[in-house]
Amino acid sequence: MGIEHINVPGLSEAIAARGVPLTVATRANGFAFISGLPPIDPVTGTMVKGDIVAQLRQAMSNLSLALQHAGSSLESTVMLTIYVSNSGYFSTINQIYRDYFPGFPPARTCVTVGSWPFEADLEVEAIAAID
C-alpha cells in the first residue's frame, strides 16, 4: 500500500507559509499519521496566544481537523504525543486532555522540550486508525 499525502485546508497553507517542509497528515497501511501541530489558527495562520489551556484546545482542534481530512478521528487515535515547553503544565494538560478522551484514552507520551522556532508552548502529534 502506498503513502498518501493529505492536504488539510488552512493548516497545510499556514505551515507551508512558514517555510516548514512537512506534510500535515499522511495515510499508509490503514493509519493516519499527523505531524506535530502547534496552536496555529487555520483561518488566520497566526499562533493562538494565551495560556496553556487555550493553546492545547487549539492544538487539539487542529489535530481533530487533520484527522478528519485523513479519514480518521480523535476516537480512533492509538498514539498521541504532546511536546510542551514546561513540565509544570502537566496537571493542566491532563485536565484538558480528559475532555477530549473521556473514556479510554489512547497511548500517550508527554515530552518537555526547550523551545521551538515559533511562539507557542506546545504541539501535538498523533497516529490514528483510519475509520
Side-chain angles (χ1 to χ4, degrees), residues 7-85:
N7 179 60
V8 181
L11 290 177
S12 294
E13 294 82 5
I15 291 172
R18 294 173 181 275
V20 180
L22 64 78
T23 300
V24 172
T26 57
R27 275 195 297 226
N29 299 319
F31 289 93
F33 299 85
I34 310 302
S35 292
L37 297 173
I40 194 165
D41 183 329
V43 175
T44 66
T46 61
M47 286 296 166
V48 169
K49 306 289 186 200
D51 64 9
I52 197 69
V53 173
Q55 291 184 50
L56 180 57
R57 289 198 186 283
Q58 183 62 56
M60 291 300 292
S61 176
N62 293 346
L63 175 61
S64 181
L65 178 65
L67 287 167
Q68 176 187 358
H69 282 276
S72 190
S73 62
L74 288 174
E75 294 78 19
S76 296
T77 300
V78 295
M79 179 64 190
L80 193 135
T81 305
I82 300 172
Y83 299 94
V84 63
S85 66

Side-chain angles (χ1 to χ4, degrees), residues 36 38-39 52 55 81-90 93 109-125:
I52 197 69
Q55 291 184 50
T81 305
I82 300 172
Y83 299 94
V84 63
S85 66
N86 184 332
S87 59
Y89 294 138
F90 193 67
I93 288 169
T109 301
C110 191
V111 180
T112 305
V113 298
S115 67
W116 285 274
F118 49 82
E119 294 181 19
D121 291 308
L122 60 81
E123 69 177 23
V124 179
E125 70 179 16

